[in-house]
Amino acid sequence: MDTVGAGDAFGGAFLTWWIGNGLGRADLADAEAVRAATQAAVFAAVVTTTRRGAEPPWAYELAGHDGWRWLPPGDPPG
């Protein structure tokens, strides 16, 4: 659809993945962890580009995908 919001989705997903995996500032020296967080964040940004406007994915949409397997499966809100 468009790229509106993809950068914000990437940044938010990176931080969510990082904190969700129990990592902190000191762990930024771990290249493998940074790579995994980046790949997970790219996936979230890609999902965002499939929609019109700035609409990042919900956690249930990421759960089960590479890098996001730690998220519990869930249902759409509502």
Side-chain angles (χ1 to χ4, degrees), residues 2-77:
D2 63 47
T3 60
V4 174
D8 290 337
F10 176 89
F14 185 98
L15 291 173
T16 298
W17 188 95
W18 199 260
I19 293 167
N21 281 283
L23 301 172
R25 183 178 296 179
D27 298 303
L28 288 169
D30 180 349
E32 192 57 39
V34 172
R35 185 175 301 112
T38 300
Q39 288 174 334
V42 165
F43 178 72
V46 167
V47 171
T48 303
T49 66
T50 67
R51 303 165 184 197
R52 189 173 310 281
E55 188 180 330
W58 293 88
Y60 77 87
E61 294 175 293
L62 300 176
H65 292 279
D66 287 345
W68 294 102
R69 298 196 191 285
W70 57 272
L71 285 173
D75 295 321

